[in-house]
Amino acid sequence: MGYAAPQPSEMFSDATSAPEVAERFENYKGALSGSHQKAASSGGTFVPGQGIVQTGQGEQIAARVEAITKGLAPDALASVQGELDALKGVTADLGKDWSLTFPNSSGLVPYDLEAPAKLLVPRMTPLRNSIPRGKGVGTARQFRRILGWTNSSTGGVSDAMAFMNSETITNTFGGVSGLRRGNKITYASDSKSVTYVEQGLSDSVTWRAQFAGQGYQDIRSLSQTALLWATMGAEERALLFGRGAAGNGYAGAVSAPTISVASQGTGGAVAAGTYYIKVTARAGGGESVASTEVSTGALTGSTNQFTITVTSEPTGALGYNIYIGTSSGAETFVASFAGNTVTVTTTPVGGGAAVPGADSTANTNGYDGFLTVQADPAQSGYVKRVNAKIYNSATPSSSLGDTPFQDAFVSLYGAGVNPGGGSGQDKRLADPDEIWCDGNIRRALGDFVKSSSGGAAGYRIALTEGDATGGVTVGSVVSGIQNQTTGRYVDLNVHPYMPVGCALIRSRTLPVPDSEVSNTSEVINVQDYMSIEWPVVQFTYDQSTYLNGTFVHYAPAWSGMLIGCL
């Protein structure tokens, strides 16, 4: 269907009066008419993709030269013949059409660079954005904790009944014995001290880069933006899995794992040969020193496979890296894995990074993040190396589903603890607020929900009339897990930097009145985010960020974690 021509009032809708509309419309018609006349008399033609191309100028000049030649007397013609010949010589060039390659081979066209530069950089810092920040002083943070008292069922303090006979009971108070008073209660406490550590990054912009970028982008501003986000990203990783040196009150390095290997001659496609293997533990943003080397022994044929097992998983290990070589001491990186076993079914491809010669799990200038603390049984309320599948697509009936999380809820609450039973386990009544996991765990939980088990569908689809007409969304997302122990709905979130197979089960607050702990974890900084513009001492603009503080875990026993959720 055709479109009606716009009315003058529509073409000049910003005009303030009818006479102004009429005047501008007449000017428009005059300009349009002049353009048509110019096009008709210019000898130009329209070429699709090029626009108006001037043609025929060379031919017009040649015709004029020919007319002049015929009209001149022989003696006059001889005197100007040289100039006329030169003019004819350029008519070929004058007759060429303008195009994308003429008169310049690169084309006289603009460079269509869109400014400013696109920042395709993820910038997610959910922990940093939500954890409270406090003010510190001095060089270290110190605090005291009352871990339990009689009948609290915490801190390892024994329970005691209060029954007594006031006529016969005797106790000693203040060095005075024989006093008829009820039995004394007992306490458990500890002292904590963690050193403040520094963080900072820097960037530099040369004068030439800054001035050359004028009109396109402020390079110094971009540098400062990138530097700030880089620092925030570094802090987010530190809060999640930072690992400090033991001498500063932190966890220290992760030990090397102990491994074994079992080979099979069938079921795989590993070529004949002898393969040497080492494994390192991943934690704190780095790797432990390598395990003792093991060997597959001589494999024959071409259908081999072998299984590597971490027989002793070190405290704090969040996953493992495999190094394999065909000669002793020449192993290179092949792959990472999240559980405690991995089966190699194809011939390992070498050429990766060499086995690290030193530990990088702990940083001398670092502090302990969530995963470091919660993976330590001495501090965490619950840590479990699951090393099994949340959802097993091959045999759905063997899937774990949310069982590992429900087990954690039971343990953190202390539902399985019998008061006075001497189990040594605390009854903390923890009621976690949130779970942070990697994307694979959340997807596995969604697949588990959708799976069928025992002949009964795990879920159903209900379509309303509106869905039928407006479209149906396919898929399921597990946004939370119901705590079967306390009844609380626990939010399930994906953290962008969570190590594969790990899940942090976190209590933000304590279910304890007057605990003097408003937040179970806090960032305490002597100096929070600070940006420094360094004096110009050379042809560069230099800037840095700086923080001085620590991450304090007041009550890690009310949180826990799962490792090796496959």
Side-chain angles (χ1 to χ4, degrees):
M1 118 180 196
Y3 293 94
Q7 297 298 316
S9 59
E10 297 173 331
M11 297 172 63
F12 310 104
S13 59
D14 59 331
T16 58
S17 64
E20 184 181 353
V21 172
E23 181 181 359
R24 291 172 64 175
F25 185 59
E26 290 301 321
N27 291 338
Y28 163 78
K29 291 193 294 183
L32 187 61
S33 177
S35 177
H36 291 165
Q37 292 177 5
K38 181 179 178 181
S41 61
S42 65
T45 59
F46 176 79
V47 177
Q50 300 182 30
I52 302 298
V53 176
Q54 301 297 324
T55 59
Q57 293 182 358
E59 289 82 350
Q60 294 176 19
I61 294 174
R64 293 294 180 90
V65 170
E66 187 68 23
I68 293 172
T69 302
K70 290 181 179 180
L72 290 175
D75 54 344
L77 178 61
S79 63
V80 299
Q81 188 64 55
E83 296 298 327
L84 292 174
D85 290 341
L87 183 59
K88 288 180 179 181
V90 301
T91 56
D93 287 338
L94 289 174
K96 285 186 177 180
D97 293 341
W98 284 69
S99 68
L100 290 176
T101 58
F102 178 82
N104 184 285
S105 61
S106 299
L108 298 178
V109 296
Y111 182 58
D112 190 12
L113 176 61
E114 183 179 354
K118 309 305 180 190
L119 305 179
L120 305 181
V121 184
R123 288 167 282 179
M124 295 182 64
T125 56
L127 295 177
R128 183 208 163 275
N129 297 348
S130 62
I131 296 174
R133 305 174 82 85
K135 178 65 176 176
V137 295
T139 60
R141 185 74 167 186
Q142 301 184 40
F143 52 95
R144 309 287 188 266
R145 300 186 302 182
I146 303 298
L147 303 177
W149 53 61
T150 301
N151 295 327
S152 68
S153 295
T154 60
V157 181
S158 299
D159 295 339
M161 301 301 287
F163 299 123
M164 68 172 184
N165 185 332
S166 63
E167 294 182 351
T168 59
I169 190 171
T170 59
N171 279 298
T172 300
F173 287 81
V176 179
S177 61
L179 298 177
R180 294 184 178 181
R181 297 175 183 173
N183 294 324
K184 291 181 180 179
I185 65 171
T186 58
Y187 296 83
S189 66
D190 69 1
S191 299
K192 301 287 288 186
S193 178
V194 288
T195 304
Y196 290 130
V197 299
E198 298 172 294
Q199 297 184 67
L201 296 172
S202 301
D203 198 15
S204 181
V205 176
T206 66
W207 283 21
R208 183 176 184 181
Q210 172 64 18
F211 299 139
Q214 290 181 347
Y216 175 71
Q217 187 155 15
D218 186 341
I219 306 302
R220 290 181 67 187
S221 176
L222 176 60
S223 170
Q224 291 168 340
T225 299
L227 179 60
L228 174 60
W229 277 108
T231 304
M232 293 171 65
E235 187 183 19
E236 181 71 14
R237 288 164 172 79
L239 295 173
L240 182 62
F241 49 66
R243 195 174 186 91
N248 294 336
Y250 301 114
V254 174
S255 303
T258 302
I259 65 171
S260 64
V261 61
S263 304
Q264 289 181 292
T266 60
V270 177
T274 301
Y275 298 91
Y276 298 86
I277 304 157
K278 290 182 179 180
V279 173
T280 62
R282 290 186 286 106
E287 297 178 71
S288 71
V289 294
S291 65
T292 301
E293 182 182 80
V294 298
S295 167
T296 60
L299 304 180
T300 60
S302 59
T303 59
N304 303 287
Q305 65 176 358
F306 54 89
T307 300
I308 303 167
T309 301
V310 181
T311 56
S312 177
E313 298 192 71
T315 297
L318 306 178
Y320 303 96
N321 289 342
I322 312 170
Y323 295 81
I324 301 177
T326 54
S327 60
S328 179
E331 294 89 353
T332 57
F333 176 77
V334 172
S336 299
F337 63 102
N340 65 334
T341 64
V342 61
T343 299
V344 179
T345 58
T346 59
T347 303
V349 178
V355 178
D359 174 84
S360 58
T361 60
N363 190 309
T364 303
N365 301 312
Y367 58 60
D368 290 349
F370 275 124
L371 302 188
T372 298
V373 171
Q374 300 306 154
D376 180 5
Q379 302 183 70
S380 179
Y382 182 83
V383 56
K384 174 70 173 180
R385 295 189 176 275
V386 179
N387 296 335
K389 292 185 176 182
I390 297 294
Y391 174 68
N392 191 330
S393 58
T395 55
S397 60
S398 66
S399 301
L400 296 178
D402 65 337
T403 298
F405 297 94
Q406 298 298 342
D407 290 344
F409 296 151
V410 167
S411 180
L412 287 168
Y413 185 83
V417 177
N418 292 312
S423 66
Q425 184 180 356
D426 288 345
K427 195 175 185 71
R428 299 186 182 93
L429 311 182
D431 195 7
D433 300 285
E434 61 185 6
I435 298 171
W436 290 94
C437 64
D438 82 286
N440 292 301
I441 292 177
R442 191 175 196 176
R443 178 183 177 182
L445 285 169
D447 289 342
F448 173 75
V449 171
K450 293 184 294 184
S451 68
S452 296
S453 178
Y459 76 113
R460 68 178 184 176
I461 298 176
L463 299 180
T464 65
E465 182 178 353
D467 292 330
T469 58
V472 178
T473 300
V474 177
S476 63
V477 175
V478 177
S479 59
I481 298 177
Q482 199 80 27
N483 184 334
Q484 294 176 346
T485 303
T486 66
R488 168 174 282 192
Y489 180 86
V490 184
D491 292 330
L492 182 69
N493 307 295
V494 171
H495 194 286
Y497 312 129
M498 182 69 69
V500 175
C502 294
L504 171 66
I505 304 170
R506 182 179 175 229
S507 293
R508 293 192 294 264
T509 59
L510 297 183
V512 182
D514 304 322
S515 66
E516 303 298 334
V517 177
S518 56
N519 303 289
T520 56
S521 301
E522 288 185 0
V523 173
I524 305 296
N525 285 324
V526 177
Q527 174 60 56
D528 212 327
Y529 277 84
M530 179 179 178
S531 177
I532 305 101
E533 289 278 351
W534 297 108
V536 177
V537 295
Q538 57 182 350
F539 293 134
T540 60
Y541 297 109
D542 303 333
Q543 50 270 336
S544 298
T545 54
Y546 179 82
L547 296 90
N548 182 15
T550 189
F551 188 26
V552 180
H553 305 268
Y554 292 115
W558 274 256
S559 299
M561 75 172 297
L562 304 177
I563 305 172
C565 296
L566 307 179

